[in-house]
Each structure stands twice: as C-alpha cells, then as structure tokens.
Amino acid sequence: SEAELEILEPYRGQIPDRVFTEEFVPPETDGSGNNRGNLKKAAMLLKDAGWSIKNKVLTNDDTGEVFAFEIVLRSSQLEPHSQALVRSLERLGIKATIRVVDDAQYRRLTETFDFDMMVAVFAQSVSPGNEQREFWSSASAAREGSRNLMGITDPAIDELVELLIAAPDRESLITRTRALDRVLLWNFFMIPMFHSETDRLAYWNRFGLPDI
C-alpha cells in the first residue's frame, strides 16, 4: 500500500530491492519431491555465489570449504520433514546431517545459539508489540536465551520494530507490521516447513446450552 511504501522508502538501499517491486510468494512445487526447476535455480544461485561441484560435493571456489551443516532437532517426529530437505540438498552437493538431542541439550544449544539450523515456531499475536524486539532486534541477537535465533543484526529492521511498537492506533499498527513483515520475508532468514490446514477453536461452555 502507499502507506507501507511511505514507511519503507527511507530504507531504500538498506533493505532488499525486491521489497519495493515484488510480492513475496514462496516457491511452489507439485508435491512429488522432484523439484527439478527449483533445484536448477538453486544451483545457479550457488554458482554465482562462488560454489561449484567437486568430487560430487559442493565446494567453495576460493577457500575449498565443503558446504556442510547440521540440523538440530528436539524430537524424532520432525525427522521426516527434515529428511525431505536433506535429500534435496544432497542433489545440490550439500551435505546436511540431522541430530536429535534431548530437551536439556536442545535448550542449551538454542540459548547459546550453538547450532547451524533448527526447526522453530515464531508464534505471533494479532496485536504485535514489545515482543518483536526479542525476535528480530540487534540487542536480542547479542543476548543469550533470546528468541532472535537467526542472529539478525540489521539497523533498518531495528528501526522498523521500534516503529511498530510506537504505532499510535490499530490502523498504523497493521501497516507497520506489514512493512516489517515484507522486509523479514525478503531477507530469507528461514525456510517455511509446513503448516496446518485446520483452524482450531477452543471455548469453555461454562453456562450450558438452552433446551430447544
């Protein structure tokens, strides 16, 4: 919207250019697991970034470093979802491994940011506020135990978070939230994993129902 553009315009050059020109739409596939088109795009992006296949392994052209990382999980129930990603990465020459740890170890690893990749839920309310600092601010990235698991340190995002918190009314809160959301999405901090197609509603039938 025009209101969002007015908020974001001062950050042109500091935030991804596509914020101003494209709607963010996650990649789509046919669900078969054979994502040839997306894999080709990924291979081209990696090549442009200085990575190429050597001995069937993705390797940095300058340093010789092998592209490998670990996915830490707190439950084996998440393994099937993560294995789908591992299989796709393997086709690109990337070596990703899965490690399932107990709750105590998982908590310690996340509190100290001692992991390469993990699965997380960033639950949000319909009235976002001060908690947004915990998720996205530079200050939280430097503090153990915060919810800024990606380690985001971006001055533009810091300012957008403060703008959101200082919103004087509901309309401006929605506009500023959408502006922040666009910037976060176009930075590709996370990979959407799955979602539920079910909306759940809970209520307490305290007074009973009248006889009809």
Side-chain angles (χ1 to χ4, degrees):
S1 67
E2 291 298 323
E4 289 174 63
L5 285 172
E6 186 177 348
I7 292 170
L8 294 169
E9 187 61 39
Y11 304 104
R12 191 180 289 271
Q14 302 176 52
I15 60 179
D17 292 337
R18 286 188 285 181
V19 168
F20 299 98
T21 59
E22 298 179 49
E23 178 186 2
F24 184 89
V25 180
E28 295 183 4
T29 71
D30 60 9
S32 66
N34 186 27
N35 306 328
R36 291 177 59 86
N38 287 348
L39 286 168
K40 286 181 179 179
K41 291 178 183 178
M44 291 176 62
L45 289 170
L46 288 164
K47 185 176 182 180
D48 292 342
W51 296 84
S52 58
I53 299 292
K54 296 178 182 178
N55 298 321
K56 299 182 179 181
V57 178
L58 194 65
T59 306
N60 187 277
D61 296 332
D62 295 328
T63 66
E65 179 185 6
V66 171
F67 202 136
F69 64 91
E70 181 182 74
I71 304 171
V72 174
L73 303 177
R74 70 187 307 170
S75 169
S76 58
Q77 292 181 338
L78 292 170
E79 282 192 85
H81 307 86
S82 303
Q83 285 169 349
L85 174 62
V86 169
R87 288 192 295 269
S88 293
L89 293 170
E90 187 176 15
R91 296 176 66 181
L92 292 168
I94 298 172
K95 179 63 175 177
T97 55
I98 296 173
R99 178 162 63 111
V100 181
V101 298
D102 60 38
D103 285 344
Q105 189 175 7
Y106 184 85
R107 181 172 181 177
R108 182 57 184 163
L109 292 173
T110 53
E111 285 182 344
T112 59
F113 311 118
D114 186 15
F115 58 88
D116 298 325
M117 180 180 282
M118 61 172 293
V119 178
V121 176
F122 296 85
Q124 302 291 334
S125 77
V126 294
S127 296
N130 294 348
E131 79 287 347
Q132 298 303 305
R133 294 189 184 115
E134 272 292 293
F135 288 116
W136 326 117
S137 74
S138 299
S140 64
R143 186 175 64 254
E144 271 194 21
S146 82
R147 291 186 284 182
N148 187 349
L149 297 173
M150 289 81 71
I152 300 171
T153 54
D154 187 309
I157 291 176
D158 289 343
E159 292 186 21
L160 289 169
V161 168
E162 295 305 315
L163 276 174
L164 181 157
I165 294 170
D169 51 52
R170 182 68 182 176
E171 183 178 356
S172 60
L173 174 63
I174 292 172
T175 301
R176 295 177 186 190
T177 300
R178 287 175 174 170
L180 172 62
D181 189 51
R182 291 182 190 280
V183 175
L184 293 172
L185 287 169
W186 278 116
N187 271 285
F188 301 105
F189 292 123
M190 62 187 78
I191 302 172
M193 195 172 193
F194 61 87
H195 71 282
S196 172
E197 295 181 344
T198 302
D199 292 324
R200 296 178 173 86
L201 176 65
Y203 68 96
W204 180 17
N205 184 16
R206 182 176 181 179
F207 300 106
L209 295 172
D211 294 329
I212 299 176

